[in-house]
Amino acid sequence: MYRTVKATSGRQIFQPLHTLRAAEKELLPGYHPFEWQPALKSVSTSCHVGIIDGLSGWVASVDDSPTDTVTRRFRYDVALVSALKDLEEEIMEGLRERGLEDSDCTSGFSVMIKESCDGMGDVSEKHGGGPAVPEKAVRFSFTIMSVSIQAEGEDEAITIFQEPKPNSEMSCKPLCLMFVDESDHEMLTSVLGPVKAERNAMKHSRLILSVGGLSRSFRFHFRGTGYDEKMVREMEGLEASGSTYICTLCDSTRAEASHNMTLHSVTRSHDENLERYELWRTNPYSESAEELRDRVKGVSAKPFMETQPTLDALHCDIGNATEFYKIFQDEIGEVYHKANPSREQRRSWRAALDKQLRKKMKLKPVMRMNGNYARKLMTREAVEAVCELVRSEERQEALRELMGLYIQMKPVWRSTCPAKECPDQLCRYSFNSQRFAELLSTVFKYRYDGKITNYLHKTLAHVPEIVERDGSIGAWASEGNESGNKLFRRFRKMNARQSKTFELEDVL
């Protein structure tokens, strides 16, 4: 939709919704006919469903408090149909390129979907008088990552469409917008409940849809990877990110992760979390709270929606850059031979670091680390600038080596296809992460004795295994959804009609 409202002048002109509706009806979900075989459980068979109230499909029970929130969404299956029809030309092109006979290819299509969900902080109206109300929103969206086909007599599925820009807001389709705080678990789960129900129904059914003039059947595979750690923990029933159970992929505790930095494997899964929640709920061995918590490894709420155990590349960048920023501060203040520096001292080191980064790197200090700052901070130039403030040459060398290793490792989890884009770094990843861990536990022991940050643990311990399993980490990241958040803000400020009922519809 965003692409089609560009005026010829190159300026974007946002027309009111009804003129868009008339001109571009087929771009909005609810335009194309389709059917499911077997019919979806507890989902209406009607195809022509546009924007619906986000709470419809949610059955309130007697003791539920009424959900007091504004939310709008598309029906999941209708939105998927619309997204597939958008790709109609690409799918047909893919079939032609592979020399597949068009009339033979009517069944056996598989569609891989990336799901993303993210909370946005303050989205309140800025222009009104009076105090800014703390209004928060959550967006849930999906991206069609690939379409493949299992041809007759072939063992391997053939990929006929691969999303070239999986992290662009163009490929990231909004499904549900809600004015809800992502930390309000009850509210979030009640709004996403119907989405989850529709998703589960679609797993066991085939979509029959006309593509390229012939009816074809599609099966969908959903992978919830576009979540930051906070959202993953919430969806999977894990304790919050300050927990001693540091990782959403393995059972390691913070102390274990800081002593053994690289040797861990991915063990957690949605099903296992559900089993552990049952143990937590029933306590069959009548254990004490501590023993029970150790048995379930920090699963203390009911997992709500299945997410794929992976690592979010964007937040990995941000988390690690925050950590490096703190290391730089500590090195400027020579913490390695000082015990407990005062707050004033820390503040002065931070001021010195900010001043230097501003002078040499044109980096303005930020309140909260963001992606752009993180990318600029994690460079050789930034380390050189910091080394000018570090007295000991030995420490300067250690900092340079640490950053050098990080720059070697980073493309492996950032790139869309590491095996093609950075095969050498992929091969050396385990070796580099071993050396990185060695540096942390010797030269920087003052920071990593018994503690380590969540994303640093994942970066060192889990990246090669996830790349081997999924082929990529970067492609499955939450960036597309984050860029969409920016659009949401902009539309809401400038172009949405300023009334709650319309606003979300205009943006969706």
Side-chain angles (χ1 to χ4, degrees), residues 95 107-112 146-151 156-162 217-219 221:
L95 284 174
S107 63
F109 284 90
S110 274
V111 185
M112 189 59 90
S146 64
V147 180
S148 54
I149 184 165
Q150 188 79 46
E156 288 286 298
I158 301 168
T159 303
I160 53 172
F161 166 77
Q162 186 98 36
S217 90
F218 297 86
R219 281 192 181 280
H221 306 276

Side-chain angles (χ1 to χ4, degrees), residues 61 143 145 155 175 215 331 433 467 475 496:
S61 68
T143 304
M145 296 293 279
D155 298 338
L175 181 72
S215 281
E331 287 299 309
S433 64
V467 171

